Amino acid sequence: IGEAPMEDFGMNILILTGKFGMGHWSASMSLRQQLLGEFPQWTVDVVDFPAYAMPNLSDAMYKSFNLVVTYGTHLFNTYYKLTSLGRPDARPPFEGLFLDKLVELIHHSRPDAVIATHPLCAQLVSRLKGEWGLDLPLLTCVTDVTSHPEWINQNTDCYLVPSRQVLEDLAAKGVDPACVCVTGIPVREEFRTLARKRTSGVREVLIMGGGLGLLPRDSRFYQELSALPNTHITIITGRNEKLFKRLYGRWENIQVVGYTDHVWDYMSRADLIVTKPGGITLFETIFAQTPILTWPPALQQERNNARWLVREGIGWVAGENCVEDIAYLLKHEDELQAARTRMGQMKRQLEAESLNRMMEAIVASQEAAV
């Protein structure tokens, strides 16, 4: 590469991920969009690696995962806490099969660098580099605001992390800080360039339940929402068709939307968002500069995320009566504005640093491998 400007050469980037929840996939597609927007002559491919490696079993695997996180949170949290005490460089399940398939994929795609947005993919590429002698830069994009050991692998050339706190936590666990870039969690360009569309005279609340549409079942919750004065509610039910049919058209002040690829449009109009504290969602709200009220989190990662957003001053965690919390915040514009201001500061910092740092990391790690 030498001293040539980055726009003068092409690169082939392979992004590996898994659809254990849609956050990892969303981050991967946002990374691809961001890279191609800056360097259209590059080749950037996103591969759902478990689906590639086990095409006949991946759907069942993902459905089982969704069932566990929906109905078996205690089991999932126990596993998460136990693995958080473990060491880096964990050996993933089905390692032998996965490694054979990874060799096959790399042989066919011939990438100049790999970006992993799921711990499983990072572990596998690191193992291939360490034990098989693969000479290929590995960048790990951490999609949680914590430094769980599953993300840490000794053959990682660079970590792309959401916050300075994660950088410091990784350093405390032995990762060289020079190999860590604070880039935020990748979000689509539509969020990064969002223009707010304020509705005069009426407060707008956006309620989302993630891709699975995990929202309250009690009709009283929606009745109380509809009764909020001078307020319009938009509810996005995701892929939960049963909930969509149950809620659609029942309350005058509530608009119900199913799965949509235009969340940013609804977010641009909202004074407040009520949703799960997923890592991707947090950074979407930061770029939208729309304060967030989260449901009381059940999964351990989401509990960590919720603590982070409260500490950063960009949102709140709902108590026993979520509607009362919504009403309180809508009446206290000063608190909402303070959160917007903090989000704006974080957004400007990430805009100034993230893409340049990521490009530098890709090129530096690629040069190191040459």
Side-chain angles (χ1 to χ4, degrees):
I1 297 173
E3 299 298 324
M6 295 184 68
E7 60 269 19
D8 289 348
F9 63 89
M11 292 189 72
N12 181 12
I13 306 298
L14 177 62
I15 301 177
L16 296 179
T17 191
K19 292 183 179 179
F20 297 96
M22 292 306 294
H24 303 288
W25 179 261
S26 176
S28 299
M29 298 305 292
S30 298
L31 268 174
R32 181 179 187 274
Q33 182 189 51
Q34 199 171 353
L35 288 169
L36 290 178
E38 187 71 14
F39 305 105
Q41 77 279 18
W42 287 17
T43 299
V44 183
D45 292 321
V46 177
V47 174
D48 174 0
F49 185 70
Y52 175 88
M54 299 190 299
N56 297 324
L57 295 176
S58 58
D59 283 348
M61 183 189 305
Y62 291 146
K63 287 178 182 177
S64 298
F65 176 83
N66 290 337
L67 286 173
V68 170
V69 299
T70 303
Y71 303 106
T73 53
H74 293 298
L75 177 63
F76 183 87
N77 288 342
T78 298
Y79 168 81
Y80 186 88
K81 290 177 181 177
L82 288 174
T83 54
S84 69
L85 302 174
R87 296 180 178 180
D89 292 293
R91 288 189 174 273
F94 308 108
E95 184 183 76
L97 169 63
F98 280 144
L99 286 176
D100 288 342
K101 287 294 185 178
L102 182 57
V103 170
E104 174 187 296
L105 176 61
I106 289 175
H107 175 74
H108 286 300
S109 59
R110 302 285 183 182
D112 296 302
V114 173
I115 303 177
T117 66
H118 190 278
L120 169 66
C121 301
Q123 292 164 357
L124 290 167
V125 177
S126 176
R127 189 74 60 197
L128 208 58
K129 292 180 65 174
E131 296 184 3
W132 294 39
L134 178 67
D135 190 13
L136 184 66
L138 168 62
L139 294 86
T140 295
C141 177
V142 179
T143 56
D144 294 316
V145 293
T146 55
S147 58
H148 193 284
E150 66 182 356
W151 289 106
I152 303 173
N153 297 282
Q154 64 177 346
N155 295 302
T156 302
D157 297 280
C158 180
Y159 295 88
L160 310 175
V161 303
S163 69
R164 184 154 197 88
Q165 182 62 55
V166 176
L167 183 156
E168 294 171 356
D169 291 345
L170 288 175
K173 293 178 180 179
V175 175
D176 182 357
C179 298
V180 184
C181 299
V182 179
T183 60
I185 296 177
V187 300
R188 290 179 61 110
E189 186 67 19
E190 289 85 352
F191 289 99
R192 304 178 72 89
T193 59
L194 198 65
R196 291 190 58 76
K197 304 173 184 177
R198 304 303 297 274
T199 304
S200 60
V202 177
R203 303 296 259 171
E204 181 69 42
V205 177
L206 175 63
I207 298 180
M208 304 189 299
L212 298 177
L214 301 178
L215 293 168
R217 300 179 183 180
D218 192 343
S219 295
R220 289 177 299 176
F221 171 75
Y222 302 100
Q223 292 171 355
E224 293 175 7
L225 278 178
S226 183
L228 289 173
N230 202 34
T231 303
H232 179 260
I233 310 293
T234 301
I235 298 176
I236 299 179
T237 59
R239 301 187 187 278
N240 191 336
E241 296 181 6
K242 183 177 180 181
L243 181 64
F244 175 84
K245 292 176 181 178
R246 187 160 68 86
L247 300 181
Y248 186 81
R250 288 192 60 185
W251 290 278
E252 180 180 358
N253 295 324
I254 296 180
Q255 175 188 4
V256 182
V257 179
Y259 179 81
T260 176
D261 285 327
H262 293 79
V263 171
W264 60 83
D265 191 35
Y266 294 97
M267 208 174 277
S268 69
R269 306 170 191 173
D271 296 288
L272 179 69
I273 297 172
V274 184
T275 188
K276 295 170 54 182
I280 304 297
T281 301
L282 290 186
F283 279 80
E284 289 174 347
T285 62
I286 288 170
F287 279 96
Q289 292 182 244
T290 307
I292 178 173
L293 175 68
T294 80
W295 311 110
L299 297 179
Q300 189 60 46
Q301 293 106 312
E302 293 177 352
R303 292 173 182 173
N304 297 337
N305 293 348
R307 282 194 289 268
W308 180 81
L309 74 90
V310 171
R311 186 170 64 245
E312 292 293 331
I314 62 173
W316 306 267
V317 177
E320 293 183 3
N321 192 320
C322 183
V323 177
E324 286 185 1
D325 293 329
I326 293 171
Y328 172 87
L329 290 169
L330 294 180
K331 290 178 181 177
H332 291 78
E333 176 61 26
D334 57 333
E335 296 192 29
L336 291 174
Q337 186 55 47
R340 290 189 201 105
T341 299
R342 176 60 182 143
M343 286 173 153
Q345 294 169 346
M346 298 174 73
K347 176 182 177 179
R348 286 189 293 273
Q349 183 178 4
L350 290 171
E351 285 176 335
E353 297 179 1
S354 62
L355 184 60
N356 289 338
R357 293 300 303 278
M358 184 167 61
M359 298 303 99
E360 292 169 2
I362 290 174
V363 172
S365 58
Q366 205 273 347
E367 288 178 334
V370 173

